[in-house]
């Protein structure tokens, strides 16, 4: 589909045997498949058949929307198949993303707890968790902000890899899989390697906010379901939606937009508190109900440790109060989320880890500031 008879081919990998994404020539008894002749102008773009140059005028097929079967003496009306121009809106990167604590194992909340305990044993200067403060202050975190714990991890890597791109065009009536549709990976100039993936790995300190799942479940389901079941159901649904459905905001999900909005507000409050731009990434762990802020470059004591440096927890508390303001007071009084409240720079919005949510989710989608605000002062 993406090859051209004129000009150089795109620098992508597709082997001769790879028939995965081919569209069969619709002429009777033809074993060919369709290519696109890009020509020299958009209006001249045409399909042509790999087997026969005679099969190149117009192709007709049974479009699921416009095809009219023969009825009442009327002849069947076939639809003309024409190549469709595709812009960036119809392609999306194939991405893998994760965070990993360098001291613990794996990326789970449990591993992050473990890493934090190791940091404490190793006398990490900036180590912090809720045990540091008085039981009275701890109760404010638990009751007001619905947090089981807030703790630091000294080394967290955030890793992103882009290994290709795929199309998200609607192609009903073809045998192309929805996932990995017309997927292309990057070829490598190194003769020892077949394909290239582009990977960034950044390291810094992290703060983990472990939210009370009983409160989260109560907010999203009024106590009708257990947290684990809600999280599992939303992850299954989320992985089934296509990009357009997510961007349209009609997913019906509740837990994921809640956690994501809480994450954006915390992220923004932390940036305001530290006075630093461009140093932070954030992730949500949906199964475990946690939010992680991670430094993306070495900012020494000037970064996240500013928030927990103070032993009474008052700076952290101020950050949480600011988080609450961002969630509940939007100057435009928007319904879910907007530029005036929880939206962030698109490039900074990579909220999920790939073991939970596969593939690409449009930036600043799946945000609900009202649900997130309900988590605060629930008790
Ligand atoms: Zn043909
Ligand atoms: Zn708003
Ligand atoms: Zn986001």
């Amino acid at each position: 589909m993406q090859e051209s008879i004129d000009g150089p081919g795109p620098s992508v990998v597709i082997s001769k045997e790879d028939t995965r994404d081919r569209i069969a020539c619709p002429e009777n008894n033809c074993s060919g498949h369709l290519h696109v002749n890009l020509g020299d102008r958009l209006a001249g773009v045409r399909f042509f058949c790999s087997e026969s140059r005679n099969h190149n005028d117009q192709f007709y097929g049974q479009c699921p929307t416009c095809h009219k079967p023969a009825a009442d003496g009327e002849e069947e009306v076939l639809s003309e198949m024409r190549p469709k121009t595709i812009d960036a809106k119809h392609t999306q990167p194939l991405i893998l993303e994760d965070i990993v604590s360098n001291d613990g194992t794996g990326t789970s909340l449990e591993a992050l707890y473990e890493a934090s305990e190791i940091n404490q044993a190793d006398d990490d200067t900036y180590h912090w968790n809720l045990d540091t403060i008085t039981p009275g202050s701890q109760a404010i975190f638990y009751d007001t902000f619905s947090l089981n714990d807030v703790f630091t991890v000294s080394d967290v890597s955030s890793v992103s890899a882009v290994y290709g791109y795929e199309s998200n065009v609607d192609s009903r009536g073809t045998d192309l899989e929805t996932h990995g549709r017309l997927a292309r990976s990057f070829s490598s100039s190194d003769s020892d390697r077949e394909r290239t993936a582009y990977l960034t790995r950044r390291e810094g300190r992290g703060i983990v906010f472990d939210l009370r799942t009983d409160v989260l479940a109560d907010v999203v389901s009024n106590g009708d379901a257990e947290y684990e079941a809600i999280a599992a159901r939303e992850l299954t649904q989320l992985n089934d939606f296509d990009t357009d459905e997510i961007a349209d905001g009609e997913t019906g999900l509740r837990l994921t937009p809640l956690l994501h909005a809480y994450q954006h507000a915390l992220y923004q409050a932390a940036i305001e508190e530290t006075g630093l731009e461009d140093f932070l990434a954030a992730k949500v762990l949906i199964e475990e109900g946690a939010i992680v802020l991670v430094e993306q470059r070495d900012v020494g004591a000037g970064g996240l440790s500013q928030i927990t440096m103070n032993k009474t927890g008052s700076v952290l508390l101020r950050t949480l109060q600011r988080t609450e303001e961002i969630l509940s007071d939007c100057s435009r009084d928007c319904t879910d989320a907007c530029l005036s409240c929880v939206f962030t720079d698109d490039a900074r919005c990579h909220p999920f880890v790939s073991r939970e949510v596969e593939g690409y989710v449009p930036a600043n989608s799946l945000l609900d500031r009202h649900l997130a605000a309900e988590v605060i002062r629930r008790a």
Side-chain angles (χ1 to χ4, degrees):
M1 277 285 289
Q2 305 205 345
E3 290 172 41
S4 160
I5 46 167
D6 310 306
S11 167
V12 294
V13 174
I14 179 163
S15 70
K16 288 267 182 294
E17 297 73 37
D18 192 353
T19 57
R20 202 179 28 159
D21 290 333
R22 291 185 184 177
I23 296 176
C25 173
E27 291 284 331
N28 283 336
N29 303 321
C30 177
S31 61
H33 59 267
L34 300 186
H35 284 226
V36 173
N37 181 359
L38 294 173
D40 52 7
R41 65 210 153 84
L42 271 182
V45 176
R46 290 280 180 272
F47 282 127
F48 67 96
C49 170
S50 62
E51 292 298 312
S52 167
R53 290 291 158 135
N54 297 327
H55 299 163
N56 67 353
D57 291 339
Q58 284 162 313
F59 292 114
Y60 293 90
Q62 300 187 347
C63 165
T65 312
C66 359
H67 175 238
K68 296 198 183 90
D72 296 332
E74 299 277 322
E75 268 187 47
E76 176 185 36
V77 180
L78 289 168
S79 323
E80 187 189 345
M81 294 166 61
R82 269 180 301 215
K84 179 175 166 182
T85 48
I86 292 183
D87 60 22
K89 191 177 173 294
H90 298 293
T91 55
Q92 56 196 36
L94 294 162
I95 315 183
L96 287 171
E97 291 189 274
D98 214 340
I99 47 169
V100 57
S101 71
N102 296 353
D103 305 322
T105 49
T107 60
S108 64
L109 181 60
E110 201 187 331
L112 293 167
Y113 264 112
E114 205 178 295
S116 183
E117 278 160 27
I118 296 170
N119 296 161
Q120 187 174 20
D122 290 346
D123 289 327
D124 169 24
T125 323
Y126 303 118
H127 175 80
W128 199 89
N129 65 17
L130 273 196
D131 290 339
T132 318
I133 59 177
T134 64
S137 304
Q138 285 173 23
I140 300 176
F141 285 86
Y142 187 81
D143 295 333
T144 307
F145 294 100
S146 302
L147 288 158
N148 286 317
D149 203 351
V150 181
F151 60 91
T152 59
V153 182
S154 68
D155 292 296
V156 185
S157 296
S158 32
V159 185
S160 314
V162 178
Y163 59 95
Y165 57 93
E166 64 184 345
S167 164
N168 61 12
V169 283
D170 194 7
S171 58
R172 282 170 301 171
T174 81
D175 53 3
L176 303 185
E177 291 279 341
T178 313
H179 290 289
R181 185 181 290 157
L182 300 168
R184 294 291 181 269
S185 48
F186 305 111
S187 55
S188 171
S189 50
D190 182 335
S191 56
D192 292 341
R193 298 195 176 88
E194 248 182 70
R195 283 150 212 243
T196 303
Y198 297 92
L199 185 118
T200 56
R201 182 189 181 104
R202 297 192 167 125
E203 286 173 30
R205 297 187 69 80
I207 301 185
V208 184
F209 298 82
D210 177 7
L211 285 155
R212 286 174 53 194
T213 52
D214 59 326
V215 176
L216 294 173
D218 192 40
V219 170
V220 298
S221 81
N222 294 317
D224 289 344
E226 296 287 328
Y227 183 83
E228 249 176 53
I230 301 168
R233 188 188 62 216
E234 290 217 355
L235 286 176
T236 309
Q237 289 176 306
L238 188 48
N239 284 310
D240 282 344
F241 285 125
D242 65 37
T243 317
D244 284 344
E245 289 172 312
I246 294 173
D248 290 345
E250 302 296 330
T251 60
L253 299 179
R254 287 171 67 80
L255 176 63
T256 310
L258 178 163
L259 289 170
H260 189 199
Y262 203 136
Q263 178 238 283
H264 273 214
L266 265 175
Y267 171 87
Q268 204 174 307
I271 284 179
E272 288 175 18
E273 186 60 50
T274 54
L276 285 175
E277 294 275 345
D278 271 9
F279 82 110
L280 209 54
K283 291 269 181 265
V284 294
L285 302 176
I286 295 173
E287 268 175 358
E288 292 145 319
I291 296 166
V292 190
L293 298 182
V294 210
E295 290 174 356
Q296 295 226 297
R297 56 190 166 94
D298 187 3
V299 284
L304 286 180
S305 37
Q306 277 189 75
I307 292 171
T308 52
M309 191 97 82
N310 154 306
K311 289 292 171 200
T312 63
S314 62
V315 179
L316 180 57
L317 217 43
R318 189 165 72 206
T319 309
L320 285 163
Q321 280 155 355
R322 178 67 190 128
T323 303
E324 181 185 14
E325 269 174 33
I326 294 167
L327 291 171
S328 46
D329 302 327
C330 170
S331 59
R332 288 197 213 166
D333 200 22
C334 68
T335 326
D336 303 315
C338 76
L339 279 166
S340 299
C341 53
V342 292
F343 273 21
T344 188
D345 184 5
D346 276 7
R348 300 267 149 197
C349 182
H350 296 275
F352 306 115
V353 293
S354 297
R355 79 183 141 83
E356 292 195 330
V357 180
E358 281 180 22
Y360 173 76
V361 173
N364 288 309
S365 58
L366 298 168
L367 290 165
D368 189 326
R369 69 182 180 96
H370 291 291
L371 281 174
E374 279 185 51
V375 174
I376 299 166
R377 295 180 210 283
R378 183 83 174 175

